[in-house]
Amino acid sequence: MRLATWNINSIRARTERAVSFLERSGVDVLALQETKCKDEQFPREPFEALGYQVATVGHSQWNGVAIVSRVGIEDVEVGFPGMPTWGDPAVAEARALGATCGGVRVWSLYVPNGREVDDPHYVYKLEWLARLRDATEGWLAADPASPFALVGDWNIAPLDTDVWDPAWFAGRTHVTPAERDAFTALARAGLTEVSREHLPAEHTYTYWDYQQLRFPRNQGMRIDLTYASPALAARVTGATIVRDERKGKAPSDHVPVVLDIGDPPTS
């Protein structure tokens, strides 16, 4: 199986790019984030014409996640157990979608940004990640042999080498000790950030801001990450960051991260 994650930054604006990527890449399952549309607005037809099924959750022009699969979509779940709410009135945002695709449980995640360190959204972000860790621990306790992946835009750069200039980011979100600890808590729970094992450690970015020529200058961040359960991590044979998707006409500010997953072991 080939599994990819991509913050598409509006699926309606970039349907052709997403479809073209699937046609070229051989990806079986594509987890999308920041789709920015309601469920009924998602452009399903071009994907279905290629033989993919689509599951989505989107409530407005903000947030939104989806899973596109040509190896089946079963047991679709909107939001993970205990996922925090946000806003007034408080609602569960469209930030997490799970489905079983080709025997692998895939979660497409769009972690809250946090905005500023002194903003309530930062507290919400940390709580969201803590509840995700709790859910992960529950899944592993219930079935230690379960193959599942948590993929998406984490809005966290776990290491200093994941940003173009650590000094520039000092005091900002995405790099604070609390955010990084919340991210590594998933590793302590038993998951492996598998793309890290197959890609260069430095200057391997997945996001470049549209402003100030960040992409031509390679002033990026590595915030699109791929956690796998022990059973799935053992099957990952490679990872690729598709940097060329940041080029061309009207790209997303993120690029896809692709995992190659081997067949499960035979008993």
Side-chain angles (χ1 to χ4, degrees), residues 135-146:
T136 298
E137 290 176 340
W139 296 329
L140 286 174
D143 185 1
S146 173

Side-chain angles (χ1 to χ4, degrees), residues 15 19 43-51:
T15 302
V19 169
R44 295 170 174 269
E45 291 80 3
F47 297 98
E48 292 172 345
L50 288 181

